[in-house]
Amino acid sequence: MLEIKNLTKRYGNKTAVSDLSMEVRGGELCAFIGHNGAGKTTTLKCVAGILGFDEGEILVGGVSVTDDPILTKKKLAYIPDNPDIYDFMTGSQYLNFIADIFGVEEDVRRENIRRYASALELSEEEIAMQIGSYSHGMKQKLVIISALLHSPDLIILDEPFVGLDPKASHALKEIMRDFCASGGAILFSTHILEVAERLCDKVAIIKEGRLITCGSMEEVKGDASLEEIFLDLEAE
Amino acid sequence: MMLKALFRKQFAELVAQFFRNRRTGQVRTRAGGYAFIALMAVIFIAMGASFYFLAQGVFLAVPEGMAFLYYFVTGLIAIAIGLLGSVFNAYATIYNAKDNELLLSMPIPPKYIVFVRVTALSAMSALYEAVILVPAFLVRVIFRPVTPLVVVNHILLFLFVTLFVVTLTLALAFVVAAVARKVKRKSLVTVVTSIALLVLYYYLYFKAQNAMSALMTMTEVPKGIRTWLFLFYYMGLAAEGDAASMAIFAGATTLLFIVAYILLSVFFRRFTTARRSASVKGKVGDVRAARPGTALFQREMKKFLATPMYILNCGLGTLMMLLAGVLVFVKAEVLFAVKDALLSVFPRMDGGVFALVMVLLVASMNYLTAPSVSLEGKRIWVIRSLPVSTKDVFKVKIELHLSLTLLPPWYRTAPMVYAFRPGVLSSVMMFFAVTAYVLLAAEFGLALNLLKPFLDWKNETVALKTGPSVLISVFGLFLFVLGLGVLFLPVSAVLADGYYILILFVLFALGDALLMRWLGQGGVRRFEMLN
């Protein structure tokens, strides 16, 4: 579903991501971990088509994000670490806006909004409110719902659990599991290694812009905990 | 100790205004900070000088035996200016200050927080008052001998007029805060209120001239002043050395201030910690599908309608053009006179270029695209992650400008054609030229903003008011249109209006095509590099 080949991204003289290659197949839930400034967000933004890159290739469902960015964006959903969205809209208006852009049928969007809003416990009244009055967690929930409206094949999430209450956090994990069980692929960054260890079947670790390991959870961690492996790799 | 720490914080905040760039948040260099202070000082001295001449005019016009009128008038001007300068500042620094919750979370009694904030507000108000009352005092000293009591009372009046302005400011800011808490459609209320205040300002400005004339010709103090405006009457008397009047004015002002301070201390926590009640009735089931292009356009329009500063800064031209269209009919005789005067100097003109320049000048008041990229701010990830082409994003930004700016100039052009009766070619070409110009202005603003975007703002007003693209759009287009008008003055001897407008249309259309081409290539590249 997602193939990243030799990705290199520079900001001026600084190389944020260097020669990174990895793959996430349909049905896989892949955690992307690394310390602050390692290049996680840059990689995810390149995949989502928000950032251009200097070298390499990114394929979503076999389509290059540089050759046909519109088509690849239709196949994926991106959820950023900081859900800055339109304060001047209500939650409902925002969801309709996103659904319109993706061309989601009215009955499908209604059903999806009900389903995911109910799972994440965002009430009808809250969805009808102005986004300007939302808390961080409510915005995060709204962005997650909006990302799922068009039933994407691939979801890219950057620190998705930040700001979510425990129930919503649990619900999101369930949604992620169900999504992958039905053939979708997920790549998400996180600093919560316990969550990554319990939730994911694949893990990729990035350090100073370079991928230092990527494989199934069992392959990477063996009998140790993910935290131990991560700290060992970081120390090297 | 606690108060000292609070004052130190407040003072640091005040100083930071001079040594920190509001737009970027970056600390200015020491030299830059002092240069900014020097610029402010020059502005204040220039304003003080102009008020000196105003005060001199008032003083010389005061009739014999009505000496109280001098300070009655200058004091009221000082109060009005102080209010205008401070009311929104008071709302922002007292009720809407970013650190209110932080301070309330500490063991600080709210009355201390209020006290420090009100003191800072008083210092700023005193600065505004000084610009008017110091020149007023100088005029009084220079033009008539003063007794020690007059000098003392002027000093006291400076303090108590400032206190009076602070009290009124607190009361008005209280109303603003109460409205902001309750109102659901804040943007609409803000726009309507701002326009109403603008109209009221001009109404009062013209009325004040008549009132001044009436005041300056009266021979005895009217009953209305003694009863309804008694406080200001005593203020005027106090300035002439009347101790009892000074005591009444000082006593009444202090009493009002104490009441306002107590009320503010009591309600401070409630107002500053109340969550905004911005809920809107609706249901999740309220879904209505639209085409992607329509959805993008609706996003731009919602953004515009929900941001009062956007409407007032960048879209006021629409209202002005509609009003100007009506004025052409109502005040047609003025236009006929202008046309006659113009034709008497430049007999070969038919008035078409003049009419066109007037329409384009008003159309230049709208510059909706100039801040449109900057306004995406940190939310730019939304549009960049969606399956829409950058050209489509540009298209709707230009469409928003055209939808609000194209119809009014057409509507405005019609009465101008009626009033000026230019030749057929001029009349027809005016419509084409206006259309091409409005598109040019939209593309120009967008291109400028792509060249100089500013996404890292904390307050939208900064993106709307201070971005280079906005400033260049506002002044650049205005000067460009004026230049086209001035250029025609010598050219009119050899070229008829209609042909000049035809040339302008061709140039505008060429500019449209070139800018469109750049937007589609370099502009797209620049937008796609933003994040």
Side-chain angles (χ1 to χ4, degrees):
Chain A
M1 187 65 67
L2 170 65
E3 283 177 86
I4 304 175
K5 297 175 183 172
N6 310 106
L7 175 71
T8 297
K9 168 70 188 173
R10 297 185 196 93
Y11 293 108
N13 294 327
K14 188 179 177 280
T15 304
V17 179
S18 177
D19 199 28
L20 186 145
S21 297
M22 63 182 286
E23 191 179 351
V24 184
R25 293 196 186 90
E28 281 184 344
L29 213 170
C30 179
F32 195 36
I33 57 180
H35 68 157
N36 294 330
K40 299 186 299 294
T41 298
T42 298
T43 306
L44 297 183
K45 281 187 172 178
C46 288
V47 173
I50 294 172
L51 277 180
F53 43 89
D54 299 290
E55 288 163 35
E57 192 176 24
I58 298 173
L59 303 173
V60 176
V63 182
S64 162
V65 299
T66 18
D67 291 347
D68 196 342
I70 304 290
L71 183 60
T72 53
K73 284 177 183 178
K74 280 184 179 168
K75 289 173 182 285
L76 62 81
Y78 170 71
I79 299 171
D81 54 345
N82 193 3
D84 266 316
I85 44 177
Y86 306 129
D87 293 351
F88 54 88
M89 288 184 183
T90 64
S92 179
Q93 286 171 341
Y94 181 73
L95 293 174
N96 271 300
F97 166 66
I98 299 291
D100 285 339
I101 295 294
F102 280 98
V104 182
E105 297 293 330
E106 281 186 6
D107 49 346
V108 176
R109 74 175 74 173
R110 190 176 289 120
E111 177 51 36
N112 280 348
I113 292 171
R114 284 229 172 85
R115 180 174 158 205
Y116 294 117
S118 157
L120 292 167
E121 297 199 326
L122 197 63
S123 69
E124 290 204 1
E125 289 71 25
E126 285 170 332
I127 289 181
M129 280 164 61
Q130 207 73 29
I131 293 172
S133 63
Y134 276 26
S135 68
H136 179 96
M138 286 162 76
K139 282 185 191 170
Q140 186 75 343
K141 288 178 185 178
L142 193 73
V143 172
I144 292 168
I145 297 167
S146 71
L148 296 164
L149 282 180
H150 66 289
S151 310
D153 299 330
L154 169 69
I155 304 180
I156 306 295
L157 303 99
D158 196 356
E159 297 287 346
F161 301 106
V162 175
L164 289 183
D165 56 61
K167 275 183 98 172
S169 199
H170 176 74
L172 177 60
K173 285 175 208 161
E174 288 299 313
I175 290 170
M176 288 165 78
R177 279 199 194 98
D178 290 348
F179 178 78
C180 290
S182 61
I186 290 180
L187 174 64
F188 81 103
S189 72
T190 184
H191 286 298
I192 314 169
L193 300 182
E194 292 82 1
V195 170
E197 194 171 351
R198 267 184 276 127
L199 191 65
C200 303
D201 37 39
K202 190 168 185 175
V203 62
I205 301 177
I206 186 173
K207 181 185 177 185
E208 292 169 0
R210 291 181 175 275
L211 194 69
I212 50 175
T213 186
C214 181
S216 72
M217 192 60 79
E218 284 71 28
E219 280 169 13
V220 171
K221 76 181 184 73
D223 292 333
S225 73
L226 184 59
E227 188 177 31
E228 285 167 342
I229 297 297
F230 177 70
L231 293 175
D232 283 350
L233 288 169
E234 278 291 314
E236 279 173 11
Chain B
M1 192 72 168
M2 188 184 284
L3 267 177
K4 197 176 163 189
L6 282 172
F7 271 117
R8 208 180 300 136
K9 179 210 73 90
Q10 201 70 36
F11 181 71
E13 224 170 74
L14 209 65
V15 171
Q17 290 181 7
F18 296 107
F19 287 92
R20 198 173 280 275
N21 187 320
R22 270 189 70 205
R23 196 169 80 78
T24 61
Q26 301 283 311
V27 178
R28 287 193 171 100
T29 59
R30 186 173 284 268
Y34 287 123
F36 186 71
I37 291 173
L39 177 71
M40 286 287 131
V42 169
I43 291 171
F44 272 85
I45 290 169
M47 284 167 64
S50 67
F51 277 113
Y52 176 86
F53 292 112
L54 177 74
Q56 186 185 328
V58 173
F59 188 87
L60 296 175
V62 168
E64 194 68 32
M66 305 289 281
F68 87 95
L69 264 181
Y70 173 61
Y71 211 87
F72 179 85
V73 172
T74 49
L76 276 175
I77 292 172
I79 289 167
I81 299 280
L83 264 182
L84 277 175
S86 304
V87 67
F88 286 102
N89 184 27
Y91 172 63
T93 56
I94 293 181
Y95 296 101
N96 218 19
K98 280 185 180 163
D99 59 350
N100 274 342
E101 290 195 11
L102 175 71
L103 294 179
L104 284 170
S105 72
M106 297 182 198
I108 307 169
K111 63 183 177 187
Y112 282 18
I113 303 171
V114 172
F115 180 69
V116 173
R117 293 222 199 280
V118 170
T119 307
L121 182 69
S122 305
M124 288 304 290
S125 291
L127 202 64
Y128 287 122
E129 296 309 305
V131 173
I132 299 149
L133 295 181
V134 171
F137 175 63
L138 289 177
V139 167
R140 176 66 184 83
V141 171
I142 291 168
F143 285 87
R144 192 183 294 161
V146 290
T147 62
L149 201 55
V150 169
V151 176
V152 170
N153 276 7
H154 266 269
I155 295 168
L156 288 175
L157 278 170
F158 172 66
L159 298 174
F160 284 100
V161 166
T162 301
L163 197 66
F164 184 75
V165 168
V166 170
T167 308
L168 276 185
T169 302
L170 291 177
L172 281 175
F174 185 87
V175 174
V176 172
V179 170
R181 252 183 94 204
K182 296 282 178 196
V183 163
K184 281 176 186 166
R185 293 190 177 275
K186 275 181 206 156
S187 57
L188 184 68
V189 172
T190 311
V191 171
V192 171
T193 310
S194 302
I195 292 172
L197 282 176
L198 199 70
V199 172
L200 183 70
Y201 170 79
Y202 281 106
Y203 176 78
L204 290 179
Y205 178 78
F206 289 115
K207 281 280 172 194
Q209 289 181 339
N210 294 338
M212 282 278 283
S213 306
L215 278 175
M216 296 310 173
T217 51
M218 67 190 191
T219 49
E220 61 176 37
V221 185
K223 201 180 166 195
I225 287 184
R226 286 179 193 273
T227 50
W228 296 107
L229 299 173
F230 75 95
L231 202 57
F232 307 117
Y233 173 57
Y234 289 123
M235 178 178 77
L237 289 175
E240 287 306 308
D242 187 86
S245 297
M246 186 66 243
I248 292 169
F249 183 74
T253 304
T254 308
L255 189 69
L256 286 171
F257 175 76
I258 289 171
V259 172
Y261 180 75
I262 291 172
L263 282 174
L264 181 59
S265 298
V266 170
F267 286 103
F268 182 70
R269 184 187 291 267
R270 188 183 298 178
F271 271 110
T272 52
T273 56
R275 286 189 69 83
R276 289 175 181 173
S277 56
S279 84
V280 176
K281 294 280 177 204
K283 286 182 177 178
V284 176
D286 290 345
V287 292
R288 209 177 307 150
R291 290 186 303 108
T294 313
L296 282 177
F297 180 77
Q298 284 171 345
R299 181 191 79 122
E300 294 291 332
M301 187 57 99
K302 277 192 185 109
K303 168 85 207 153
F304 175 72
L305 294 176
T307 318
M309 280 296 160
Y310 199 4
I311 300 173
L312 291 168
N313 280 281
C314 310
L316 210 55
T318 302
L319 182 70
M320 297 304 284
M321 281 182 274
L322 295 173
L323 286 176
V326 176
L327 274 177
V328 171
F329 283 113
V330 178
K331 293 279 181 189
E333 71 280 3
V334 178
L335 283 173
F336 293 141
V338 171
K339 184 189 173 186
D340 290 346
L342 199 69
L343 296 191
S344 66
V345 184
F346 302 98
R348 300 194 61 165
M349 285 186 183
D350 71 6
V353 172
F354 181 75
L356 176 71
V357 167
M358 291 196 31
V359 174
L360 297 189
L361 281 177
V362 186
S364 301
M365 289 176 73
N366 272 11
Y367 45 96
L368 289 121
T369 51
S372 63
V373 175
S374 296
L375 282 173
E376 297 283 352
K378 289 176 184 162
R379 303 169 297 210
I380 198 163
W381 71 268
V382 177
I383 205 71
R384 293 281 298 110
S385 67
L386 293 176
V388 289
S389 73
T390 303
K391 281 184 184 174
D392 285 341
V393 175
F394 290 173
K395 190 168 154 251
V396 292
K397 287 184 187 302
I398 290 172
E399 277 174 3
L400 178 74
H401 183 94
L402 297 183
S403 65
L404 290 163
T405 315
L406 203 48
L407 271 178
W410 280 347
Y411 155 79
R412 169 104 200 276
T413 305
M416 290 301 278
V417 168
Y418 160 78
F420 277 81
R421 310 274 163 86
V424 176
L425 183 63
S426 292
S427 304
V428 174
M429 287 317 301
M430 269 176 75
F431 284 92
F432 285 103
V434 164
T435 308
Y437 174 79
V438 170
L439 179 60
L440 184 75
E443 290 175 352
F444 181 66
L446 183 58
L448 281 175
N449 204 199
L450 285 163
L451 290 170
K452 290 281 178 192
F454 178 60
L455 302 175
D456 199 20
W457 43 262
K458 289 182 176 59
N459 185 333
E460 282 173 328
T461 311
V462 177
L464 282 164
K465 281 189 164 180
T466 61
S469 56
V470 170
L471 295 177
I472 296 172
S473 271
V474 173
F475 296 109
L477 289 175
F478 204 74
L479 291 174
F480 173 64
V481 172
L482 269 184
L484 294 176
V486 172
L487 183 68
F488 184 61
L489 297 178
V491 174
S492 66
V494 291
L495 194 67
D497 288 56
Y499 291 110
Y500 188 72
I501 299 174
L502 176 66
I503 292 170
L504 289 185
F505 165 66
V506 172
L507 290 176
F508 292 160
L510 196 64
D512 288 341
L514 287 173
L515 274 174
M516 192 66 85
R517 189 179 152 81
W518 183 84
L519 287 171
Q521 294 173 354
V524 167
R525 271 199 302 280
R526 281 183 172 271
F527 187 78
E528 290 180 353
M529 279 164 64
L530 301 173
N531 89 93

